[in-house]
């Protein structure tokens, strides 16, 4: 069996968010979600299973994994060992191409890359659906980083039918996600806890009821290349994610003054005729969605906002893939 394998995988930005689980342990979500892979936010991971090793050795971004990171990666390696029926411990090294601590969600690209690299290193060749199911168990949104381009996660009802599929290839629409980074601080409440808290918001049931119509609007807008229709739907959904978080018990404030200032700026540019819409993650950074023809303009204006520390422009990214160059 191949002992060492490397995978590269994109992070993704959700147009319709995953927020709340039907089954928290297996990460089976309450609703379908739709996302775009981000070609400039990738994780590269090398995994080798080594018979002589007596413990997993995990390095992330050049440093030994801390206890929480380690527990999550080892649990994922255990899933792979169970699938491959092997006992060997692994050496894992992982590196993001975007600055660590930039507040860009890295668990999606990290668990997608880990799933592909570890299964190959263990001698398995899983079909895309199985790989997506595996990645989902490490981090829900990671299942959407396995297929390429524009992706829908089919919520399903159990582990075997909760996975993501590509609904359009990366070349389908020259959209851009211009990420305006306003804070590099680690968020205080991770998304795993956020998903758990969501059910305490009395707005959650209403959100879930409204989602099938919004999902349909996003699919329609995407297939029609209709940015105004897409933008209206994704802004609603982003605000709703934060509404649920802020009305959870206890409330979670990912919402921040800097974020609101960038949102207000984007709305003003739009009133000026620039085709730009925002979406948000469980963090303070603002994702400015526009077409490629406007991306330079959006990035230049974002850089002028004093709250914005850095701007990263992303085109739609491809599927998780094997890499040629191992990290060790
Ligand atoms: O995959 P998780 O558990 O980190 O959850 C991701 C949650 C959001 O990024 C806020 C939304 C999404 O669908 O990506």
């Amino acid at each position: 069996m191949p002992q060492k394998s490397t995978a590269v995988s994109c992070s993704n930005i959700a147009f319709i968010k995953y927020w709340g689980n039907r089954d928290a342990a297996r990460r089976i979500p309450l609703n379908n979600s739709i996302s775009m892979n981000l070609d400039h936010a990738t994780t590269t991971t090398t995994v080798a299973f080594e018979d002589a090793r007596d413990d997993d050795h995990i390095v992330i971004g050049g440093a030994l994994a801390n206890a929480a990171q380690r527990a999550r990666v080892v649990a994922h390696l255990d899933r792979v060992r169970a699938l491959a029926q092997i006992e060997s411990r692994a050496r894992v090294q992982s590196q993001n191409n975007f600055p660590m601590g930039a507040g860009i969600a890295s668990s999606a690209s990290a668990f997608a890359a880990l799933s592909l690299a570890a299964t190959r290193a263990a001698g398995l060749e899983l079909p895309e659906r199985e790989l997506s199911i595996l990645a989902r168990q490490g981090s829900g949104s990671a299942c959407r980083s396995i297929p390429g381009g524009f992706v829908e996660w089919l919520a399903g009802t159990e582990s075997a039918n909760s996975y993501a599929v590509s609904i359009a290839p990366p070349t389908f629409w020259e959209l851009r996600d211009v990420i305006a980074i306003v804070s590099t601080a680690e968020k205080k409440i991770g998304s795993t806890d956020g998903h758990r808290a969501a059910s305490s918001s009395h707005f959650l049931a209403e959100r879930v009821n409204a989602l099938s119509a919004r999902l349909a609007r996003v699919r329609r807008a995407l297939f029609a290349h209709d940015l105004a229709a897409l933008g209206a739907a994704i802004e609603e959904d982003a605000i709703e994610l934060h509404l649920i978080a802020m009305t959870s018990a206890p409330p979670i404030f990912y919402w921040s003054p800097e974020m609101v200032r960038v949102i207000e700026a984007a709305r003003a540019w739009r009133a000026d005729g620039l085709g730009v819409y925002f979406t948000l993650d469980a963090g303070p950074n603002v994702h400015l969605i526009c077409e490629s023809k406007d991306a330079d303009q959006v990035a230049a204006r974002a850089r002028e906002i004093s709250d914005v520390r850095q701007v990263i422009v992303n085109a739609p990214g491809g599927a998780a893939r094997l890499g040629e160059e191992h990290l060790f």
Side-chain angles (χ1 to χ4, degrees):
M1 79 176 188
Q3 304 257 296
K4 190 192 284 188
S5 191
T6 296
V8 184
S9 148
C10 298
S11 183
N12 66 73
I13 181 67
F15 292 159
I16 296 289
K17 309 294 177 183
Y18 152 49
W19 200 244
N21 286 307
R22 154 201 292 263
D23 177 338
R26 287 174 192 77
R27 300 183 197 269
I28 318 278
L30 289 171
N31 56 273
N32 284 23
S33 51
I34 295 179
S35 58
M36 178 180 107
N37 281 354
L38 303 178
D39 75 334
H40 272 72
T42 64
T43 300
T44 301
T45 301
T46 300
V47 178
F49 288 99
E50 298 167 344
D51 294 337
R53 198 167 270 293
D54 54 17
D55 210 355
D56 293 316
H57 178 78
I58 301 154
V59 173
I60 300 174
L64 216 51
N66 65 33
Q69 291 169 329
R70 179 180 168 81
R72 215 161 150 185
V73 172
V74 170
H76 207 60
L77 292 168
D78 286 342
R79 292 182 188 106
V80 175
R81 282 188 276 259
L83 281 173
Q85 300 187 314
I86 59 170
E87 303 274 317
S88 319
R89 302 292 106 181
R91 179 173 171 194
V92 176
Q93 200 164 320
S94 187
Q95 192 72 51
N96 293 336
N97 78 339
F98 49 94
M100 284 289 276
I104 298 176
S106 56
S107 68
S109 50
F111 280 96
L114 179 63
S115 299
L116 178 56
T119 50
R120 290 301 181 108
L124 296 171
E125 256 190 66
L126 298 187
E128 183 184 274
R129 177 185 300 191
E130 298 307 315
L131 207 52
S132 179
I133 288 171
L134 173 65
R136 189 203 77 232
Q137 296 169 72
S139 173
S141 56
C143 77
R144 296 190 311 240
S145 284
I146 296 292
F150 300 89
V151 172
E152 180 157 358
W153 175 3
L154 310 170
T157 51
E158 54 185 299
S159 194
N161 61 16
S162 186
Y163 57 91
V165 294
S166 178
I167 55 173
T171 51
F172 180 74
W173 191 5
E174 288 292 327
L175 274 189
R176 294 292 179 266
D177 175 9
V178 179
I179 310 177
I181 294 171
V182 299
S183 166
T184 56
E186 183 106 359
K187 60 185 172 217
K188 289 191 205 80
I189 302 187
S191 44
T192 302
D193 293 330
H195 293 298
R196 201 167 287 127
S199 60
S200 64
S201 166
H202 60 276
F203 294 108
L204 186 67
E206 223 165 301
R207 164 172 170 72
V208 171
N209 278 336
L211 271 180
S212 59
R214 194 179 295 144
L215 281 156
R217 280 166 64 201
V218 165
R219 277 184 222 110
R220 255 197 321 270
L222 195 61
F223 296 144
H225 293 189
D226 183 342
L227 182 64
L230 179 76
I234 70 177
E235 290 192 350
E236 274 174 35
D237 202 65
I239 293 167
E240 211 165 83
L241 161 72
H242 287 264
L243 166 92
I244 302 293
M246 285 190 271
T247 53
S248 295
I252 306 170
F253 282 88
Y254 298 121
W255 192 257
S256 75
E258 298 82 4
M259 167 194 269
V260 174
R261 284 196 286 271
V262 179
I263 291 174
E264 287 304 330
R267 283 158 56 106
W269 306 336
R270 193 156 80 222
D272 262 3
L274 190 59
V276 59
Y277 296 82
F278 67 85
T279 185
L280 309 164
D281 248 332
N285 299 323
V286 181
H287 294 250
L288 299 164
I289 307 297
C290 61
E291 289 183 311
S292 58
K293 65 180 174 56
D294 293 323
D296 287 348
Q297 175 78 245
V298 169
R301 291 196 190 192
R303 282 192 193 96
E304 283 168 13
I305 301 174
S306 62
D307 297 292
V308 174
R309 297 173 182 210
Q310 195 184 347
V311 167
I312 301 177
V313 181
N314 292 273
R321 61 181 171 81
L322 292 173
E324 310 276 284
E325 282 174 41
H326 300 308
L327 295 180
F328 60 86

